[in-house]
Amino acid sequence: MTVPTYPVEIIAPPSAAAAARAHLLHGDSVEQYRRTLADGVDRVARRMAAVDRPGTGITPAELAPVVDRVDLDRPLGDANAALDELEDVYLRDAVWFHHPRYLAHLNCPVAIPALLGEAVLTAVNSSLDTWDQSAGATLIERRLIDWTAERIGLGPNADGVFTSGGSQSNLQALLLAREEACLAATTPAARADLLPRLRVLTSAAGHFSVQKSAKLLGLAPDAVIAVPTDPQRRIRPAAVRDEIARCRLAGLVVMAVAGTAGTTDFGSIDPIAELARVCASASVWLHVDAAYGCGLLVSPTRRHLLDGIERADSVTVDYHKSFFQPVSSSALLVRDRRVLRHATYHADYLNPARMVEQRIPNQVDKSMQTTRRFDALKLWLTLRVMGPDALGALFDEVVDRAADAWQLVSEDPRFEVVTRSELSTVVFRYLPTGPGRELADAANLHAREALAASGAAVVAGTRVDGRHFLKFTLLNPATTVDDVDHVLELIAAHAGRYVHEHTAADLTCHVG
Ligand SMILES: *Cc1c(COP(=O)(O)O)cnc(C)c1O
């Protein structure tokens, strides 16, 4: 057997690593970067221009085999081939939030300047944890935190940090509140005694991440107390005051009141100014979850709905909900920058304590994350291109549209509608009459599923006082009253058919 010999000095066979290097972004691969990204943008643009419904209604059972068939160990080697494949596994059946009949959750159409930001931030790939990984990105994030805190009115000592979303912002807010409540418990024994006695007050319409945070923070299983709401689904400040007093008598410590500025289902805004008074007189931390309602911060006409928010100790804002930003873009703001120290840990390799003395701005000192995206760039470019008034005008438009939609549903005898939202949701249900009345829950569940399966529209469902309701969340200024009207007709048709079929079947049963 002869051993083949290669003239290695003349033509070295390309090593796998050398070939792979062509896929990395660097000064010599910019042409490939330009072409690849342009191909991707072109693909999405063509797909978007052709989208004629918010989804295809594909089921997990139908789509899973398509995804499973992909052999991840056999690369296609070429971006266009991968994009072709992506049509099958993702793009063709994607759910499109920009479609006017996507009316389900708090997903917004996204601002193009933000998409430009996304492209820039992922290419440069700064990491916000330390100055030595980000430079200007740190300063830009800080400016936006200051800008947001100023819009809220938190005062000269405010600070904050970008987070991955409202859930994380709420978790961090409650972490800070817990640590402030535990300041007096200086020994491990005192802390162990205090932790199970900590309580958080919020309304039943508050976000579930408050409950989840309490669990993550090691609080008692019954630590979150749901305070009663008024008919508009806003927390009752007097009930908060009474609950604080009751807790104290029972030897419990209320570590925070979590008010909501824009509940996820009802768009209701807790009376923040009154909550602030109650919290101040009881020396209790006030957190305001404005994940949804933060769009009012830039509203030219409705900023007053947030009156009192300037007195909060901490505020959650989700730019990816009402600032038309792509996921993720969120922040936690605090009135007193010093409380952020509860999230600080000095690691020798990353952010040693001496850097604080050297005034090196390391955002990791304020964050629960370490490596962190430069999400702030999306908002920065949006503000620099469009400005805050334009964003606020867009949010105002969807709030107006929701008021029109509420009017439409409330005047339609086929539907029952819940409280009128201060933001952009409409919670309602189809109400069968006569013998089909007890089928209301099943008919509404069916209508939602049938609608989603047809791909004609996507709406959300929720439960109100134990009954199944449907929900529109309007965040798309392109949605017209005609769109809403059309979707209502579809819902009435699906639900009506369900009731008809099931009452007819019942009758046949009885007759047979
Ligand atoms: C959406 C929402 C959250 C959670 O925010 P994410 O960004 O989804 O984590 C928290 N609170 C309220 C009121 C919300 O509507």
Side-chain angles (χ1 to χ4, degrees):
M1 186 177 139
T2 53
V3 178
T5 56
Y6 296 102
V8 284
E9 310 88 328
I10 305 166
I11 31 161
S15 70
R21 222 176 291 147
H23 291 286
L24 295 180
L25 176 55
H26 47 71
D28 295 332
S29 61
V30 288
E31 260 323 303
Q32 169 146 353
Y33 162 63
R34 213 174 251 142
R35 218 173 32 230
T36 307
L37 276 261
D39 284 349
V41 169
D42 189 52
R43 197 68 74 118
V44 174
R46 268 188 283 150
R47 181 48 78 177
M48 269 193 139
V51 161
D52 61 354
R53 45 190 184 151
T56 63
I58 197 160
T59 63
E62 288 167 316
L63 194 52
V66 184
V67 178
D68 288 346
R69 259 200 307 277
V70 173
D71 185 346
L72 293 173
D73 295 314
R74 293 172 65 93
L76 299 165
D78 166 67
N80 259 311
L83 283 170
D84 286 341
E85 183 182 80
L86 199 65
E87 295 277 347
D88 294 335
V89 298
Y90 176 53
L91 288 174
R92 188 175 46 233
D93 298 290
V95 179
W96 299 99
F97 302 149
H98 72 283
H99 192 278
R101 289 179 190 168
Y102 176 84
L103 304 171
H105 304 288
L106 282 163
N107 312 104
C108 51
V110 290
I112 294 172
L115 293 178
L116 177 63
E118 188 76 63
V120 173
L121 76 94
T122 53
V124 182
N125 200 29
S126 301
S127 180
L128 266 284
D129 39 344
T130 52
W131 169 258
D132 72 353
Q133 301 175 72
S134 75
T138 292
L139 302 180
I140 286 174
E141 170 166 298
R142 289 180 155 221
R143 275 296 302 279
L144 288 169
I145 288 293
D146 291 346
W147 177 85
T148 307
E150 203 167 298
R151 287 257 160 188
I152 297 172
L154 285 177
N157 300 319
D159 198 0
V161 70
F162 270 66
T163 70
S164 64
S167 304
Q168 202 198 21
S169 297
N170 285 346
L171 172 61
Q172 183 165 358
L174 292 176
L175 166 76
L176 303 179
R178 184 193 69 182
E179 291 309 297
E180 287 292 301
C182 287
L183 281 182
T186 47
T187 65
R191 197 178 159 100
D193 171 66
L194 179 56
L195 265 179
R197 291 187 291 119
L198 294 177
R199 293 294 179 270
V200 177
L201 308 188
T202 190
S203 89
H207 195 260
F208 71 88
S209 56
V210 172
Q211 251 94 356
K212 212 163 160 172
S213 301
K215 187 172 182 179
L216 288 165
L217 292 170
L219 306 185
D222 54 352
V224 178
I225 298 174
V227 176
T229 52
D230 67 14
Q232 274 73 51
R233 312 264 164 187
R234 297 173 302 198
I235 201 167
R236 291 181 190 270
V240 172
R241 193 193 51 219
D242 294 349
E243 190 59 36
I244 292 174
R246 194 196 64 79
C247 284
R248 286 189 174 162
L249 277 177
L252 303 170
V253 175
V254 177
M255 61 169 240
V257 170
T260 315
T263 58
T264 315
D265 274 349
F266 306 105
S268 50
I269 299 172
D270 288 340
I272 312 172
E274 284 174 69
L275 276 185
R277 269 192 291 279
V278 169
C279 288
S281 70
S283 300
V284 169
W285 182 286
L286 174 61
H287 174 63
V288 175
D289 177 358
Y292 177 14
C294 61
L296 298 174
L297 292 172
V298 286
S299 161
T301 63
R302 292 185 171 86
R303 172 61 180 82
H304 62 276
L305 293 176
L306 293 178
D307 280 355
I309 196 170
E310 69 282 356
R311 297 173 66 187
D313 293 292
S314 56
V315 178
T316 287
V317 295
D318 255 2
Y319 308 107
H320 62 216
K321 281 181 178 161
S322 45
F323 274 68
F324 303 93
Q325 297 296 294
V327 177
S328 294
S329 184
S330 181
L332 172 70
L333 290 304
V334 294
R335 142 178 319 287
D336 177 358
R337 61 175 71 244
R338 287 172 306 178
V339 299
L340 289 169
R341 75 185 183 284
H342 299 306
T344 308
Y345 187 92
H346 291 293
D348 290 337
Y349 82 93
L350 192 66
N351 60 332
R354 68 169 183 280
M355 284 185 169
V356 177
E357 284 138 45
Q358 295 165 348
R359 297 184 161 272
I360 295 170
N362 289 329
Q363 294 293 85
V364 70
D365 294 351
K366 310 172 186 179
S367 175
M368 300 202 301
Q369 291 169 265
T370 305
T371 305
R372 189 159 55 82
R373 290 165 56 86
F374 181 24
D375 283 317
L377 183 61
K378 296 180 285 193
L379 180 60
W380 179 270
L381 284 179
T382 304
L383 291 178
R384 296 312 296 139
V385 175
M386 297 170 62
D389 291 352
L391 286 176
L394 289 175
F395 191 54
D396 265 358
E397 202 175 347
V398 297
V399 176
D400 286 337
R401 198 65 35 78
D404 296 341
W406 187 88
Q407 195 70 28
L408 201 63
V409 189
S410 67
E411 284 167 3
D412 191 326
R414 295 171 298 177
F415 297 102
E416 174 191 13
V417 64
V418 191
T419 54
R420 186 174 173 152
S421 168
E422 288 173 274
L423 298 177
S424 63
T425 59
V426 185
V427 180
F428 64 98
R429 65 176 182 158
Y430 178 81
L431 209 53
T433 51
R437 219 181 159 84
E438 66 245 42
L439 292 172
D441 277 345
N444 281 284
L445 281 173
H446 168 80
R448 178 178 177 227
E449 280 165 20
L451 201 60
S454 74
V458 188
V459 305
T462 191
R463 280 166 81 99
V464 181
D465 306 327
R467 314 303 310 226
H468 284 286
F469 277 71
L470 302 174
K471 177 172 74 165
F472 292 154
T473 306
L474 279 74
L475 274 185
N476 188 351
T479 301
T480 63
V481 175
D482 276 351
D483 287 311
V484 173
D485 194 35
H486 182 79
V487 175
L488 284 173
E489 288 307 321
L490 293 174
I491 289 169
H494 285 302
R497 198 173 313 119
Y498 180 90
V499 171
H500 177 75
E501 278 165 13
H502 287 75
T503 44
D506 264 7
L507 289 178
T508 344
C509 266
H510 289 308
V511 172

